[in-house]
Amino acid sequence: MFTHAPPGVKTLASLDFGARSALDSPPMTTPRIAPDARIVVTGGSGFLGRHLMEALAARGYSNATTFRSAEYDLTREDGVVAMLDVLRPEVVIHLAATVGGIGANRRYPGTYYFRNLQMGALLMEHARLAGAKRFLSVGTICSYPKFTPVPFREEELWNGYPEETNAPYGLAKKMLLIQSQAYRQEFGFDGVNVLCVNLYGPHDNFDPESSHVIPALVRKCVEAVERGDREIEVWGTGSATREFLYVVDAANGIVSALERLEGSEPVNLGAGFEISIKDLAERIAKHAGFAGRLVWDATKPDGQPRRSLETSKAERLFGWRATTPFDEGLASTVTFFRDHVRAYERVQPAAR
């Protein structure tokens, strides 16, 4: 047993386990972020990331940058250290994640757990050691318990186990919340956390093997119209409810939190409404021009029964709320898929 601790580190015997928790610790004053501050966005070339990079530029941040996983693998310690050595961020916004829909979550639970846990833990630790002044973690609604009362309030986050198909991913991302609270308490490290509801919009992942419900249904409906199909299959019963946030609104919310949020307690980012998957599918079919029949496959999982967030905390703490009407966002998503994804696929040479 060690009898002497390194300078600044308490011995086990000296720790006061009755001390106030990080949740009770007074927040530090939010530092003003200079327009030329070095901001690194992990996952900045992904769906949410590219919109966040645009939002940062629109707010006047001239020195925000990102990178691809081929340059720096954040699941490896040497990759994290190398990235921080080269880019030297004053601020880190952590979006990078390995994520997919229900099918992918069921197929790769171990992969999703390990990769997301490893990325978050390594990145925050080495950002702290490298002297980063602010670290914003973007978490997920999947971290909430399976039977959370609707609307989901931040104080309910620890009152149960997540829905089983989402649990490995949701719990791995949830550990960033614990890490930021612990680091604030012990090291005075300024980590803040937001939890995003399901996102949708232009540049989403439309891959049928790994996409979430909106891009998956957009693709199915558009392709059914192109082929002249009279019906499409939809997973589940349609009874589950979800809330969806337009990706541009989410990006603006993250920048607002970066500028104004104090303390490490989580804050929901959502649109503040709830819709059943059945109603959602019908709306997407209408926007895509599909007039056929929706066939529900009840042998497939519905996932969490209900999801909808209480979003007033975000407006109260940093003045943000979603502004994009849902049908406007869906129409934009369908148009993007037709004009960019499908148009690109049609001009590609056939696989040999």
Side-chain angles (χ1 to χ4, degrees):
M1 181 175 179
F2 295 109
T3 56
H4 299 286
V9 177
K10 296 180 179 180
T11 63
L12 183 63
S14 70
L15 291 175
D16 178 7
F17 290 102
R20 290 156 60 88
S21 72
L23 284 169
D24 298 321
S25 299
M28 298 179 294
T29 301
T30 302
R32 178 182 177 274
I33 300 173
D36 62 348
R38 294 187 303 276
I39 301 174
V40 167
V41 179
T42 72
S45 58
F47 170 42
L48 173 57
R50 66 176 63 206
H51 291 280
L52 178 58
M53 296 297 289
E54 291 175 1
L56 287 165
R59 296 276 189 102
Y61 295 105
S62 60
N63 204 7
T65 189
T66 189
F67 55 90
R68 294 187 176 274
S69 58
E71 298 176 78
Y72 304 108
D73 182 353
L74 298 184
T75 67
R76 294 176 54 89
E77 190 166 22
D78 55 0
V80 172
V81 171
M83 182 275 290
L84 294 168
D85 283 347
V86 172
L87 300 182
R88 299 181 300 112
E90 299 167 77
V91 175
V92 176
I93 305 176
H94 181 42
L95 303 183
T98 302
V99 63
I102 289 179
N105 275 310
R106 296 175 75 194
R107 193 174 301 120
Y108 307 114
T111 297
Y112 282 14
Y113 174 78
F114 176 80
R115 290 184 63 83
N116 288 295
L117 184 69
Q118 191 84 338
M119 278 192 283
L122 289 174
L123 185 62
M124 193 181 299
E125 167 67 357
H126 285 284
R128 175 184 72 83
L129 294 174
K133 302 303 181 186
R134 191 157 173 84
F135 190 108
L136 189 152
S137 302
V138 179
T140 172
I141 193 174
C142 296
S143 299
Y144 274 99
K146 181 175 182 177
F147 297 108
T148 305
V150 175
F152 294 8
R153 300 177 186 275
E154 291 89 348
E155 55 266 29
E156 297 286 343
L157 191 61
W158 298 100
N159 289 343
Y161 193 76
E163 194 278 325
E164 292 79 5
T165 58
N166 294 313
Y169 167 66
L171 289 173
K173 295 294 284 185
K174 199 171 180 178
M175 289 304 100
L176 279 165
L177 172 60
I178 292 296
Q179 192 172 356
S180 65
Q181 291 171 341
Y183 279 27
R184 180 178 294 270
Q185 184 178 22
E186 183 172 353
F187 307 120
F189 185 66
D190 187 24
V192 295
N193 303 274
V194 295
L195 302 175
C196 278
V197 77
N198 301 64
L199 303 180
Y200 74 101
H203 300 286
D204 205 341
N205 169 27
F206 294 91
D207 184 335
E209 294 298 317
S210 58
S211 57
H212 289 99
V213 61
I214 286 183
L217 286 171
V218 166
R219 182 171 199 123
K220 281 188 174 186
C221 289
V222 169
E223 291 181 346
V225 170
E226 293 174 348
R227 292 191 299 261
D229 294 347
R230 295 185 177 182
E231 63 180 37
I232 61 173
E233 182 184 280
V234 188
W235 275 27
T237 65
S239 63
T241 67
R242 294 292 181 267
E243 178 179 334
F244 299 96
L245 177 62
Y246 193 55
V247 65
V248 176
D249 287 341
N252 288 326
I254 291 167
V255 178
S256 295
L258 181 71
E259 294 173 334
R260 297 177 55 185
L261 181 59
E262 297 182 353
S264 292
E265 294 82 356
V267 179
N268 291 333
L269 296 185
F273 77 94
E274 184 179 10
I275 185 172
S276 72
I277 299 300
K278 181 178 183 297
D279 289 344
L280 171 68
E282 291 172 352
R283 284 202 195 195
I284 291 174
K286 180 179 178 180
H287 283 289
F290 176 70
R293 189 165 70 99
L294 302 176
V295 179
W296 295 91
D297 181 0
T299 67
K300 297 296 194 298
D302 279 323
Q304 192 167 22
R306 295 180 68 188
R307 282 186 189 169
S308 184
L309 296 180
E310 163 58 51
T311 59
S312 62
K313 191 174 181 181
E315 186 165 10
R316 185 174 75 254
L317 294 183
F318 49 91
W320 173 87
R321 63 183 178 85
T323 59
T324 304
F326 189 46
D327 280 303
E328 179 182 313
L330 288 180
S332 174
T333 306
V334 171
T335 298
F336 176 85
F337 177 73
R338 278 204 176 108
D339 293 350
H340 296 274
V341 180
R342 288 299 284 161
Y344 173 81
E345 291 172 346
R346 289 190 194 99
V347 300
Q348 298 308 297
R352 302 188 178 204

